[in-house]
Amino acid sequence: MSAADEAIARVAASDRLLVALDFDGTLSPLEDEPMDARMLPAAREAVDALVATPDTVVAFVSGRSLVDLRVIAEHDDSSRVLLAGSHGAEFWIPGEGVVSHGEDDADVALRDALRGHAEEATAHLEGVWIEPKTFGFGVHTRRASAAAAAEANRVVDEIVAAEAPHWRRRTGHNIVEFAFRHEGKDSAIAELRERVGATAVLFAGDDVTDEDALASLGDGDLGVRVGDGQTSATVRVADIAALAELLQQLATARSRG
């Protein structure tokens, strides 16, 4: 039995398992148009299989705003999948609906002002898009040249440093995000773990922001990194298809247990 098989068997034996999954790049390919993202069929089948197993809770944990995450995950009010959006600052819980940590008028006004300033400062840069987010905004550069991307990030960094130096800055695949809330995927996992009473957690992700969650896992948990890059995960898989196979393996083991 490989080390990965042993790790899967260990978490599969947990009394109550939380399977928390990043979305973009983990269940869905990265898209030039972010709202075009959808789960690959194999990933969806694996998620559905896990949801159907006893004492297993599945959650999507994303930097996306909750409203956008629900769209790309094709998630409706009948779903049994929990959602953590905006890096854990807002949640959707079956039977409860939206649970948000809230915002005040001053934060919202500053968010809108900074987003407007960022849009104006980058309007001349082809391929750069400023994404509205519940608690801030993101600077997307996937379709921009390297020079345009560097310039966009430089000017927006200067804007935020001057007007909101207390905001949190995160980097990801061709995106830099700014937010007035400081929750991370580590706090999202902690909150979900407590909420569902999980005795173990499997978390899978593919990006820098996922490392907060991966580094926070305990000895009885399992972290999975999808693709390349430095990681705190104990298991690495090559791509979304390989993760789907791992999740199906876990679902089969949970069903037998």
Side-chain angles (χ1 to χ4, degrees), residues 17-136:
L17 178 63
L18 169 63
V19 180
L21 307 166
D22 171 53
F23 196 87
D24 294 281
T26 299
L27 299 173
S28 165
L30 299 174
E31 299 287 351
D32 288 343
E33 171 48 61
M35 292 309 295
D36 288 344
R38 294 294 185 274
M39 272 188 281
L40 290 183
R44 179 176 294 281
E45 290 172 9
V47 167
D48 290 345
L50 281 166
V51 168
T53 61
D55 293 310
T56 305
V57 178
V58 178
F60 299 154
V61 180
S62 174
R64 299 263 198 158
S65 296
L66 189 62
V67 63
D68 289 346
L69 180 57
R70 295 199 75 188
V71 171
I72 63 174
E74 300 173 283
H75 184 276
D76 61 29
D77 288 347
S78 66
S79 178
R80 293 168 57 190
V81 176
L82 284 68
L83 303 179
S86 299
H87 299 279
E90 49 184 351
F91 295 83
W92 187 93
I93 307 297
E96 296 183 41
V98 177
V99 177
S100 177
H101 289 176
E103 56 196 50
D104 62 35
D105 292 343
D107 287 330
V108 171
L110 181 58
R111 175 202 67 191
D112 293 345
L114 287 184
R115 189 167 66 209
H117 296 164
E119 288 171 345
E120 292 172 8
T122 60
H124 67 291
L125 297 171
E126 185 175 354
V128 175
W129 174 55
I130 305 300
E131 177 190 5
K133 287 179 173 284
T134 304
F135 303 104

Side-chain angles (χ1 to χ4, degrees), residues 189-213:
I189 294 298
E191 186 162 339
L192 288 169
R193 187 198 299 267
E194 181 176 0
R195 177 177 283 274
V196 305
T199 54
V201 175
L202 181 150
F203 177 78
D206 75 306
D207 206 349
V208 176
T209 56
D210 298 313
E211 289 300 319
D212 290 340

Side-chain angles (χ1 to χ4, degrees), residues 123-226:
H124 67 291
L125 297 171
E126 185 175 354
V128 175
W129 174 55
I130 305 300
E131 177 190 5
K133 287 179 173 284
T134 304
F135 303 104
F137 60 89
V139 183
H140 281 270
T141 55
R142 185 174 179 83
R143 292 181 289 181
S145 67
E151 177 64 8
N153 291 332
R154 183 190 68 79
V155 298
V156 177
D157 275 340
E158 289 182 354
I159 289 169
V160 176
E163 302 182 45
H166 58 290
W167 277 28
R168 181 167 179 174
R169 182 186 192 273
R170 299 180 179 91
T171 60
H173 292 310
N174 301 298
I175 183 174
V176 178
E177 299 179 48
F178 302 91
F180 61 79
R181 296 203 64 94
H182 285 243
E183 288 89 351
K185 292 186 179 181
D186 50 348
S187 62
I189 294 298
E191 186 162 339
L192 288 169
R193 187 198 299 267
E194 181 176 0
R195 177 177 283 274
V196 305
T199 54
V201 175
L202 181 150
F203 177 78
D206 75 306
D207 206 349
V208 176
T209 56
D210 298 313
E211 289 300 319
D212 290 340
L214 289 167
S216 74
L217 298 178
D219 292 340
D221 302 326
L222 175 59
V224 181
R225 173 80 180 209
V226 180

